[in-house]
Amino acid sequence: MSKKHHITTIVNGDEYEALCETRHTLLDVLRDELRLTGTKEGCATGDCGACSVMMDGRLVCSCLVLAVEADGKSIDTIEGMASGNELHPLQTKFLELNGLQCGICTPGFLIAARALLERNPDPTESEARYWLAGNLCRCTGYDKIIRAVLSAAAEMRGA
Amino acid sequence: MTTILKKPGFNPDRKYKIIGTSPVKHDGFDKVTGRAKFAADAFLPGMLVGKVLRSPHPHAILKRIDTTQASKVPGVKAIITRDDFPEIKQGTGGGDMTRLAMAREKVYWEGHPVAAVAATSESAAKKALKLIEVEYEVLPHVIDPVEAMSPDAPILHDYMRTKGAKGPDAEKPTNVVERHALGIGDVDKGFAEADVIVEGTFDTKPMHQGYIELQSCVANYSDDGQVDLWCCTQAPWVYRDRLTEILKIESSKIRIQQSELGGGFGGKTTFYLEPLSVVLSRKAKCPVKMTLTRVEVMRATGPVSGTQSTIKMGCKKDGTIVAVDSTLVFQTGPYTGSAFTNAPQAMLTRYDLKNVRTVSYEVVSNRPKVSSFRAPCVPQVVFGVEGLIDELATKIGMDPIEMRLKNAIVEGHKTIYGETFNRIGFVETLEAAKACDHYRAPVPKGQARGIACGFWFNRGGETTGSMNLAPDGTVTITLGTADVAGSRMSMAMMAAEELGIPVDRVRAVLADTHSLGYNRVTAGSRTTFSSGIIVVDSARKIITELCRRAAKIWNVPEEGVVFEDGVCRPASSNVGEFEPLSIKDIAHKTTYTMGSISGHSEMNVTGAGPGFAVHIVDVEVDKETGLTSVKRYTIIEDAGKAISPAQVEGQFQGAAVQGIGWALNEEYVYGSDGRLQNPGFLDYRMPVASDVPMIDTVIVEVPNPKHPFGLRGVGEVPLTPAMAAIGNAIGHAIGIRPRSLPMSPPKVLAIIEEARARGVLPAG
Ligand code: FES
Ligand code: FES
């Protein structure tokens, strides 16, 4: 058995420690060690966005980040998106506008969409489509996802 | 016959309170917070990790497997091979199934399982896989179905003879599983009446369902022989019965609990890891979790049939289609199971045709066994059928929707496969298409428009379910069908409507296989229809019981109580003066009346209403690169009655975008070595958000009188015409209609050059 590494990360504001092999990804550790299974694996090659998380404020595919790279970093996952009982406006709009069918892609879309709205509070439809082009959804045809994102953006701007 | 099937109680004048609204799905909350538990999200104490060793060859004799070295790897707890599975005769259903799960005499595709390991870590399991020695005798392979039919093709199964074949060839080993002929009238006579005849050969490439959730399962085989299995599936009872068949474990000892299902589209109707994890768990005496990688999903699970259709069609000048002749070839994997007979039955069912001949062949090949995908085998053939109708319409100068209206079927039509249709809405759907904004808008400059129509039977079948009334007046439903996109919510809505209570007082959950009787696979667009009937039937049983309890409380005869708007009241003033009793009032008193109240229902549901759709699409084709962009897309479809319109729209929109992917991009690419060259999302490119426009929808509602609320299935119809509509639009853009999927840039560019050479497209 190869030697394990000890890593410490802040996940959704709380400090976590984990032991991991060199080959383990951040996604592996989030899911299998910390049991934060809201972050999903759809490909493990950076092509589906189901594993999207924020690392030190940057949107990343957690399947492309080695767990040891996350040592000392701050990670935000879907489990931390709502504040207390209050859903994030994106979560509310996904629910209200049926922006999810099976829901396996939903955490990734929500994390990626929040990152979009943080840097561009008023995206056009086309900007939203291109920003979210790294997230695959096979159920919805994207229509209601894009509408939910634009509608949440409007609400957050107070428009 | 069960009463509700005879008397569904459909009332066209009924005013709905809940049905037709789109409340937030109950299961949505856990899905937006990351708490929903999908297959790979389960963990058990002491759980091991299972991994599969797969064949690198598409066709080979499996001569020897040696696991000696592998079993010495620290952490390895069990290794299984063919020797761990009971022998079942080749060429039988069970024999095919066990060989698909684990190779026996031969491997039949690149990715065919040959061994599996359970270990304390994934690293240990992978290390062991590398140390398993396998000796293969490589054989020539065949993947293309037309090549597989040729007399000198490599034969997959020496024992195979073509079912339905006649003549000397019928006795020879073959790759053709079955020859199936279906037709009516006299085709030659029909063509003699034609003013215009068109024909063509169309081919479609194999592709994948593309669900985002990787298959995963956790099996626990306890010391007394009980199996607990957690997995993502569209068919828990089917999985159970198949496990019984191939592992010889009694059904009562196998309890399957379905997880949240992260997409299936037909691809999760067949098991892959489940038998392996059960056998590994039995051998290792620990729970075993197995999860496929995306590469494994692409190489070794449910692809969709590649096809070739040769079709000839003739019509009169007035647009009447007088004859259709067709030869259809369907690829399956190493074993039968493509459901190819759907195609000849469905391909023309929407037109009133007097003379049709179809001959269909199902052909084995060195690929994983194909699995269902939305209207299995139908969209591929509709690509050809609707393409030729469009050519005929162009030739006779008729509007494409008028041409379809001219031939459209109505109530009372007897289909080619013998069913006579009740109320159907094809004409209404075509009229709605004609009237919609998209069709009435002029085609924008530089773009072209295509339309196509599709049909799917919609299914019923064996279904069970239970409904329980709690003492506080709330209701829970236990469902036997899987929830592939929100059906739990539709069930809660139907129950609430029938019981006259708010939908938030109803919760629907998915049963395990011990809790209910057998349920047919969740497929065929049967869920909301079939389980909907079960739910309404259960609610009606509860209502009958509520009236009985009210009668007891009031001490009046049962006939003296009626149930209206969620309350029991005296049928007339003759019965006496009583305050109405709500469901809650009665539920609260069940302890003092006759105990708890529940409704249960099980039946082989019949009466599914067929569905029809029209797709309209505007495309722009870049004449320099051959790239097609979809600019506008509208689906018009008869849903009978949309229980939750937002969910129905979602079905239409998702199918349209799957169709866009299939039409323009998606295809399995095999090397000459028979290995898949694009087993990942980078090279097998499904549409992303920036590839597609908003998808507009028009829900037509021609009620199905066989359902209490008039609904029809909507899951499969909306894929059937998609590639044809896009093909027709491209044809109008470049002068020649493509006949091969995907209509990718290099292929379209070649057609543009041909069109220019033929003078049907001006030089660029
Ligand atoms: S799992 Fe990371 S991008 Fe697909
Ligand atoms: S909702 Fe199923 S993949 Fe997006």
Short mmCIF file of all heavy atoms in Angstrom, two decimals, chain B residues 572-596:
data_model
loop_
_atom_site.label_atom_id
_atom_site.label_comp_id
_atom_site.label_asym_id
_atom_site.label_seq_id
_atom_site.Cartn_x
_atom_site.Cartn_y
_atom_site.Cartn_z
N SER B 572 -78.23 13.11 1.26
CA SER B 572 -79.39 14.01 1.16
C SER B 572 -79.83 14.35 2.57
O SER B 572 -79.37 13.76 3.55
CB SER B 572 -80.53 13.32 0.40
OG SER B 572 -81.03 12.28 1.21
N SER B 573 -80.74 15.30 2.68
CA SER B 573 -81.20 15.70 4.01
C SER B 573 -81.98 14.57 4.68
O SER B 573 -82.11 14.54 5.91
CB SER B 573 -82.04 16.97 3.92
OG SER B 573 -83.04 16.79 2.95
N ASN B 574 -82.48 13.60 3.86
CA ASN B 574 -83.20 12.45 4.44
C ASN B 574 -82.31 11.63 5.36
O ASN B 574 -82.76 10.97 6.28
CB ASN B 574 -83.71 11.51 3.34
CG ASN B 574 -84.76 12.21 2.49
OD1 ASN B 574 -85.32 13.23 2.92
ND2 ASN B 574 -85.00 11.67 1.31
N VAL B 575 -80.97 11.65 5.03
CA VAL B 575 -80.03 10.84 5.81
C VAL B 575 -79.89 11.42 7.22
O VAL B 575 -79.69 10.69 8.19
CB VAL B 575 -78.66 10.79 5.10
CG1 VAL B 575 -77.64 10.01 5.91
CG2 VAL B 575 -78.80 10.20 3.71
N GLY B 576 -80.02 12.72 7.30
CA GLY B 576 -79.87 13.38 8.60
C GLY B 576 -79.02 14.62 8.47
O GLY B 576 -78.43 14.86 7.41
N GLU B 577 -78.95 15.39 9.51
CA GLU B 577 -78.15 16.63 9.50
C GLU B 577 -76.81 16.33 10.18
O GLU B 577 -76.76 16.10 11.38
CB GLU B 577 -78.90 17.73 10.29
CG GLU B 577 -80.13 18.27 9.60
CD GLU B 577 -79.77 19.07 8.34
OE1 GLU B 577 -78.79 19.83 8.38
OE2 GLU B 577 -80.48 18.90 7.32
N PHE B 578 -75.76 16.29 9.38
CA PHE B 578 -74.42 16.07 9.97
C PHE B 578 -73.45 17.07 9.37
O PHE B 578 -73.54 17.40 8.19
CB PHE B 578 -73.93 14.65 9.65
CG PHE B 578 -74.80 13.55 10.21
CD1 PHE B 578 -75.65 12.84 9.38
CD2 PHE B 578 -74.74 13.24 11.57
CE1 PHE B 578 -76.45 11.83 9.89
CE2 PHE B 578 -75.55 12.23 12.08
CZ PHE B 578 -76.41 11.51 11.24
N GLU B 579 -72.53 17.54 10.18
CA GLU B 579 -71.42 18.35 9.67
C GLU B 579 -70.57 17.47 8.77
O GLU B 579 -70.28 16.33 9.13
CB GLU B 579 -70.55 18.85 10.83
CG GLU B 579 -71.10 20.06 11.57
CD GLU B 579 -71.19 21.27 10.66
OE1 GLU B 579 -70.13 21.70 10.14
OE2 GLU B 579 -72.32 21.78 10.44
N PRO B 580 -70.17 17.98 7.63
CA PRO B 580 -69.30 17.16 6.77
C PRO B 580 -68.02 16.73 7.52
O PRO B 580 -67.54 17.48 8.37
CB PRO B 580 -68.94 18.09 5.62
CG PRO B 580 -69.84 19.26 5.71
CD PRO B 580 -70.41 19.32 7.09
N LEU B 581 -67.55 15.53 7.19
CA LEU B 581 -66.31 15.04 7.80
C LEU B 581 -65.19 15.08 6.76
O LEU B 581 -65.31 14.49 5.68
CB LEU B 581 -66.49 13.59 8.27
CG LEU B 581 -67.35 13.38 9.53
CD1 LEU B 581 -67.67 11.90 9.69
CD2 LEU B 581 -66.64 13.91 10.76
N SER B 582 -64.10 15.78 7.08
CA SER B 582 -62.97 15.82 6.14
C SER B 582 -62.18 14.52 6.26
O SER B 582 -62.37 13.74 7.20
CB SER B 582 -62.07 17.01 6.48
OG SER B 582 -61.41 16.76 7.70
N ILE B 583 -61.27 14.34 5.31
CA ILE B 583 -60.40 13.16 5.36
C ILE B 583 -59.66 13.15 6.70
O ILE B 583 -59.54 12.13 7.36
CB ILE B 583 -59.38 13.20 4.20
CG1 ILE B 583 -60.13 12.98 2.87
CG2 ILE B 583 -58.29 12.15 4.38
CD1 ILE B 583 -59.24 12.84 1.67
N LYS B 584 -59.20 14.32 7.10
CA LYS B 584 -58.46 14.45 8.36
C LYS B 584 -59.33 14.02 9.55
O LYS B 584 -58.88 13.26 10.42
CB LYS B 584 -58.03 15.89 8.52
CG LYS B 584 -56.90 16.10 9.46
CD LYS B 584 -56.41 17.54 9.34
CE LYS B 584 -55.54 17.86 10.54
NZ LYS B 584 -55.06 19.23 10.47
N ASP B 585 -60.62 14.49 9.55
CA ASP B 585 -61.52 14.13 10.66
C ASP B 585 -61.65 12.61 10.77
O ASP B 585 -61.60 12.04 11.86
CB ASP B 585 -62.93 14.69 10.42
CG ASP B 585 -62.94 16.21 10.39
OD1 ASP B 585 -62.07 16.82 11.03
OD2 ASP B 585 -63.83 16.77 9.70
N ILE B 586 -61.83 11.97 9.62
CA ILE B 586 -62.06 10.51 9.65
C ILE B 586 -60.76 9.78 9.99
O ILE B 586 -60.74 8.84 10.78
CB ILE B 586 -62.64 10.03 8.31
CG1 ILE B 586 -63.99 10.72 8.06
CG2 ILE B 586 -62.81 8.51 8.30
CD1 ILE B 586 -64.55 10.50 6.67
N ALA B 587 -59.65 10.27 9.39
CA ALA B 587 -58.35 9.63 9.64
C ALA B 587 -58.02 9.65 11.13
O ALA B 587 -57.49 8.69 11.69
CB ALA B 587 -57.26 10.36 8.85
N HIS B 588 -58.38 10.72 11.75
CA HIS B 588 -58.10 10.91 13.17
C HIS B 588 -58.82 9.87 14.03
O HIS B 588 -58.40 9.55 15.13
CB HIS B 588 -58.58 12.33 13.53
CG HIS B 588 -57.97 12.82 14.80
ND1 HIS B 588 -56.61 12.97 14.95
CD2 HIS B 588 -58.52 13.19 15.98
CE1 HIS B 588 -56.37 13.41 16.16
NE2 HIS B 588 -57.50 13.55 16.81
N LYS B 589 -59.95 9.37 13.51
CA LYS B 589 -60.78 8.47 14.31
C LYS B 589 -60.62 7.00 13.91
O LYS B 589 -61.41 6.17 14.34
CB LYS B 589 -62.26 8.85 14.14
CG LYS B 589 -62.61 10.23 14.71
CD LYS B 589 -64.13 10.36 14.79
CE LYS B 589 -64.55 11.59 15.56
NZ LYS B 589 -64.40 12.84 14.78
N THR B 590 -59.64 6.69 13.06
CA THR B 590 -59.58 5.32 12.55
C THR B 590 -59.41 4.29 13.67
O THR B 590 -59.93 3.18 13.58
CB THR B 590 -58.44 5.13 11.52
OG1 THR B 590 -57.26 5.72 12.05
CG2 THR B 590 -58.78 5.74 10.19
N THR B 591 -58.68 4.68 14.72
CA THR B 591 -58.47 3.73 15.81
C THR B 591 -59.82 3.29 16.40
O THR B 591 -59.99 2.13 16.79
CB THR B 591 -57.62 4.38 16.91
OG1 THR B 591 -56.51 5.00 16.28
CG2 THR B 591 -57.13 3.36 17.93
N TYR B 592 -60.78 4.21 16.45
CA TYR B 592 -62.07 3.89 17.07
C TYR B 592 -63.08 3.32 16.08
O TYR B 592 -64.14 2.90 16.45
CB TYR B 592 -62.66 5.16 17.72
CG TYR B 592 -61.64 5.91 18.52
CD1 TYR B 592 -61.10 7.10 18.04
CD2 TYR B 592 -61.15 5.37 19.72
CE1 TYR B 592 -60.13 7.77 18.75
CE2 TYR B 592 -60.17 6.03 20.43
CZ TYR B 592 -59.65 7.24 19.95
OH TYR B 592 -58.68 7.88 20.64
N THR B 593 -62.77 3.43 14.78
CA THR B 593 -63.70 2.84 13.81
C THR B 593 -63.24 1.41 13.49
O THR B 593 -63.50 0.51 14.27
CB THR B 593 -63.84 3.74 12.56
OG1 THR B 593 -62.55 4.07 12.06
CG2 THR B 593 -64.59 5.01 12.91
N MET B 594 -62.51 1.22 12.40
CA MET B 594 -62.12 -0.17 12.11
C MET B 594 -60.64 -0.31 11.82
O MET B 594 -60.21 -1.17 11.09
CB MET B 594 -62.93 -0.70 10.93
CG MET B 594 -64.33 -1.12 11.30
SD MET B 594 -65.32 -1.48 9.83
CE MET B 594 -65.84 0.13 9.32
N GLY B 595 -59.85 0.62 12.32
CA GLY B 595 -58.41 0.55 12.08
C GLY B 595 -58.00 1.36 10.85
O GLY B 595 -58.83 2.04 10.24
N SER B 596 -56.74 1.25 10.50
CA SER B 596 -56.17 2.17 9.51
C SER B 596 -56.78 1.98 8.13
O SER B 596 -57.34 0.92 7.81
CB SER B 596 -54.66 2.00 9.46
OG SER B 596 -54.36 0.77 8.86
#
